[in-house]
Amino acid sequence: MKNKLYSGEHRLWLKRRRIRLTVVWTLRIGLLALLLFFWELSTRLGWADPFLVSSPSRILGTVGSLYRDGTLFYHIGTTLWETAVGFVLAIGLGYLIALLLWWSDLLHRVLEPYIVVLNALPKIALGPLIIIWCGTGSKAIVFMTVVVGIILVIMHMLSAFLETDENKLLLLRSMGASKLQILTKLVIPSSRVSFISMLKVAVGMSWIGSIMGEYIVSRAGLGYLIVYGGQVFKLDLVMTATCILCLLAAAMYFLVVLLEKILVKNTHN
Amino acid sequence: MKEKILEFENVKLIYHTVRGETVAAERLTFSVEEGEFVAIIGPSGCGKSTLLSLAAGLLTPSEGTVTRRGSVGYMLQRDELFPWRTIEKNILLPLEIKRRSTPQAREEALALAEKYGLGEFLRSYPAELSGGMRQRAALIRTLATGPDILLLDEPFSALDYQTRLSVTKDVSQIIRREGKTALLITHDISEAISLSDRVIVLTKRPATVAHTHALDFGETDPLKRRENRQFSGWFELLWKELNQ
């Protein structure tokens, strides 16, 4: 109905665009199907040892048996919970610390070298300490997730806060704005786009944190299944847990993208 | 005699950097009277923006005094409207900052916006407006709190030439009609001549007053001033003085 208003050329352009999108999506899904097909085929025909590389059908079988055990959602839930709590804590605390550092230039200058060193430190080195401090439960894994994510959040948000337009700052100061007003009326709203891009990176970081945590200490979770599967040479279990991780990570990323759409629609940046 | 809204007396300002100190202004004395439109021009790098920061009270002089009677409204090169706020919310921003956002004050500010043709754009976002309209919104925002003196920091320099002429006329008319005192700082000689009642010429750093001229066009429309015979005479004189 709407198309009647457009010129022939525009309708053609729209059609081409639609075709192009269809092609891209067909190829994307086709590539996945092809990979799965050859994976299955190569193990069936004996080109590859399914004991070493597993196979799609064996993965499905493992998912089924985990489901029947009643442990499938237990492991997924454990990892998801640890990741989500760590993600939220890392962002909340990191954002607060970034605000503090923006607020006090002295604090920022004093702490800068510490932040740089902590950023460069491989967090896995803290593993033994975390076990001793937090025990071997979920607390240790959440702690690991926070440690991995928080420095990134601090650095990303602080640089966004510090990049606030000088002229807009001048304008607010000329109106006699207090520091708190400058923060709430200008610095926070103008850093919204950076906040979203930080969230996208932080999603990945919190998965790294939680899985790394589960590698070091854990009795449940997808990271635990991977480590356990590796130790007892059950590669079906390793592959299954890895595939589920892929799906979960993708889902969490898309949630952030969805959030971005909602936020950006209301920001007009 | 009319009241002096802004007065600089023997102002000296030193800038400090790690590499040393720079005297940005020295023995700088001038004043702006109520209802006057004063333009300050100077060679590039004479610290024009510094001067406005002094006038706005954002900087304290190293020596001498800056006296302001009343409040200031600052207008910058770009409109600096906040993109995430509607035009209405942008115009009301200074009232929010000064915690004077009473229903009456809001109504007055919005009436001003209505009067100068922004009524239909109040719910729009800055990105949806033309450069000229945005600058007009920035002026209304500056006027929203009823400042006693307007400080204009090359407010037209970011606009293209066509828009610039019409916005200059626009802004000049609004300022004159509202009876506002204004201090314009610019490097653009013709802008200074077409807008102001008095032009102050500054020297190179350290900035001090080199010359002061009262302009007697008997006409406040900047476009008509540009067509006036006196215009080129003033232009030549000021150009020479700037390059001394």
Side-chain angles (χ1 to χ4, degrees):
Chain A
M1 201 170 78
K2 224 177 174 181
N3 270 356
K4 279 183 187 159
L5 300 169
Y6 296 133
S7 67
E9 189 177 304
H10 187 68
R11 263 179 286 160
L12 195 66
W13 183 84
L14 283 177
K15 197 177 159 195
R16 283 210 184 116
R17 196 176 161 274
R18 217 167 37 237
I19 290 170
R20 183 124 193 108
L21 265 178
T22 319
V23 168
V24 167
W25 272 103
T26 313
L27 286 178
R28 273 179 188 168
I29 295 164
L31 184 65
L32 182 67
L34 206 69
L35 278 173
L36 291 176
F37 176 74
F38 273 104
W39 190 2
E40 185 68 39
L41 192 72
S42 60
T43 51
R44 288 279 165 98
L45 295 180
W47 297 342
D49 186 353
F51 184 65
L52 290 178
V53 300
S54 188
S55 76
S57 60
R58 292 172 72 128
I59 288 173
L60 280 180
T62 312
V63 170
S65 70
L66 282 174
Y67 179 71
R68 279 189 298 278
D69 283 355
T71 53
L72 178 66
F73 288 109
Y74 171 62
H75 288 298
I76 292 180
T78 304
T79 301
L80 211 53
W81 172 248
E82 288 158 355
T83 311
V85 171
F87 177 72
V88 170
L89 281 179
I91 285 169
L93 289 173
Y95 198 90
L96 273 179
I97 293 170
L99 281 181
L100 270 177
L101 295 179
W102 174 83
W103 190 277
S104 163
D105 185 52
L106 181 69
L107 199 64
H108 172 205
R109 294 214 179 188
V110 171
L111 294 184
E112 200 169 18
Y114 294 91
I115 293 173
V116 170
V117 170
L118 282 180
N119 184 47
L121 179 79
K123 313 302 178 289
I124 191 118
L126 299 174
L129 285 181
I130 292 176
I131 298 175
I132 292 162
W133 292 344
C134 303
T136 54
S138 274
K139 212 169 105 188
I141 293 155
V142 169
F143 191 84
M144 190 59 151
T145 312
V146 173
V147 167
V148 169
I150 196 166
I151 302 288
L152 170 107
V153 177
I154 295 172
M155 290 175 78
H156 198 108
M157 287 324 294
L158 182 61
S159 77
F161 293 154
L162 292 175
E163 267 167 25
T164 308
D165 188 340
E166 280 299 325
N167 286 323
K168 288 192 171 64
L169 286 171
L170 181 69
L171 183 77
L172 279 188
R173 278 196 212 107
S174 80
M175 293 175 189
S178 66
K179 199 157 188 176
L180 187 64
Q181 283 178 323
I182 290 177
L183 183 69
T184 54
K185 307 266 181 211
L186 175 62
V187 174
I188 289 177
S190 67
S191 65
R192 249 193 254 184
V193 172
S194 293
F195 180 70
I196 300 281
S197 66
M198 179 277 286
L199 283 187
K200 284 183 181 165
V201 187
V203 166
M205 281 305 199
S206 41
W207 284 109
I208 293 176
S210 63
I211 298 301
M212 213 155 79
E214 286 183 354
Y215 277 10
I216 302 170
V217 288
S218 71
R219 273 157 283 165
L222 295 168
Y224 162 77
L225 285 186
I226 292 173
V227 171
Y228 170 74
Q231 282 165 351
V232 300
F233 236 79
K234 274 166 85 176
L235 292 193
D236 289 341
L237 198 57
V238 175
M239 285 295 187
T240 306
T242 310
C243 288
I244 295 173
L245 260 180
C246 279
L247 291 176
L248 290 178
M252 201 155 155
Y253 185 83
F254 281 117
L255 272 181
V256 173
V257 172
L258 201 70
L259 185 73
E260 174 181 26
K261 283 208 170 127
I262 295 167
L263 277 179
V264 167
K265 214 167 78 184
N266 297 323
T267 46
H268 289 266
N269 265 309
Chain B
M1 208 176 115
K2 281 190 174 171
E3 202 191 353
K4 284 176 183 166
I5 300 284
L6 178 71
E7 199 169 6
F8 275 58
E9 267 177 301
N10 272 316
V11 168
K12 179 174 185 176
L13 186 82
I14 304 175
Y15 251 178
H16 303 276
T17 60
V18 183
R19 292 179 160 215
E21 54 178 2
T22 316
V23 182
E26 198 160 29
R27 289 191 306 279
L28 186 62
T29 302
F30 69 88
S31 59
V32 182
E33 288 175 6
E34 196 183 346
E36 229 188 348
F37 198 131
V38 176
I40 293 186
I41 57 172
S44 52
C46 75
K48 290 183 283 252
S49 296
T50 311
L51 229 129
L52 280 185
S53 289
L54 279 168
L58 298 173
L59 282 177
T60 320
S62 310
E63 279 173 31
T65 53
V66 176
T67 321
R68 259 180 325 273
R69 286 181 191 84
S71 58
V72 298
Y74 206 138
M75 201 169 156
L76 295 114
Q77 286 183 24
R78 295 179 190 283
D79 53 71
E80 303 301 352
L81 295 167
F82 291 6
W84 55 88
R85 284 175 164 244
T86 58
I87 295 298
E88 176 176 357
K89 293 254 173 166
N90 264 296
I91 288 172
L92 297 177
L93 177 68
L95 289 172
E96 272 174 47
I97 298 290
K98 295 185 183 188
R99 303 192 192 287
R100 275 170 36 199
S101 193
T102 60
Q104 198 202 342
R106 276 202 298 274
E107 217 162 277
E108 278 174 23
L110 294 178
L112 203 61
E114 198 79 47
K115 183 174 169 189
Y116 292 111
L118 285 168
E120 55 177 311
F121 298 116
L122 287 178
R123 308 236 169 269
S124 309
Y125 285 88
E128 298 165 294
L129 269 66
S130 67
M133 269 304 175
R134 291 170 60 133
Q135 204 56 340
R136 194 190 284 197
L139 176 65
I140 302 299
R141 176 186 59 192
T142 315
L143 294 172
T145 48
D148 297 289
I149 182 164
L150 296 177
L151 303 175
L152 312 173
D153 186 358
E154 302 191 357
F156 315 111
S157 62
L159 301 168
D160 64 83
Y161 193 69
Q162 278 292 331
T163 319
R164 191 169 177 170
L165 286 184
S166 62
V167 173
T168 306
K169 176 174 172 172
D170 205 41
V171 167
S172 149
Q173 271 178 348
I174 296 173
I175 290 174
R176 301 273 183 189
R177 206 173 296 164
E178 300 295 321
K180 289 293 172 190
T181 311
L183 177 64
L184 166 77
I185 302 225
T186 180
H187 64 270
D188 185 328
I189 301 173
S190 41
E191 207 158 85
I193 306 170
S194 65
L195 280 165
S196 64
D197 303 319
R198 198 146 58 84
V199 179
I200 295 170
V201 183
L202 295 183
T203 60
K204 277 196 205 108
R205 234 177 3 221
T208 186
V209 175
H211 305 274
T212 306
H213 304 283
L215 303 180
D216 42 6
F217 280 92
E219 167 71 66
T220 56
D221 182 335
L223 293 181
K224 292 210 172 115
R225 277 196 182 187
R226 280 175 191 266
E227 289 162 10
N228 194 299
R229 260 197 236 135
Q230 292 181 55
F231 191 87
S232 56
W234 280 119
F235 190 94
E236 245 168 78
L237 178 71
L238 292 175
W239 196 78
K240 263 183 212 151
E241 288 178 353
L242 267 186
N243 288 296
Q244 261 167 17

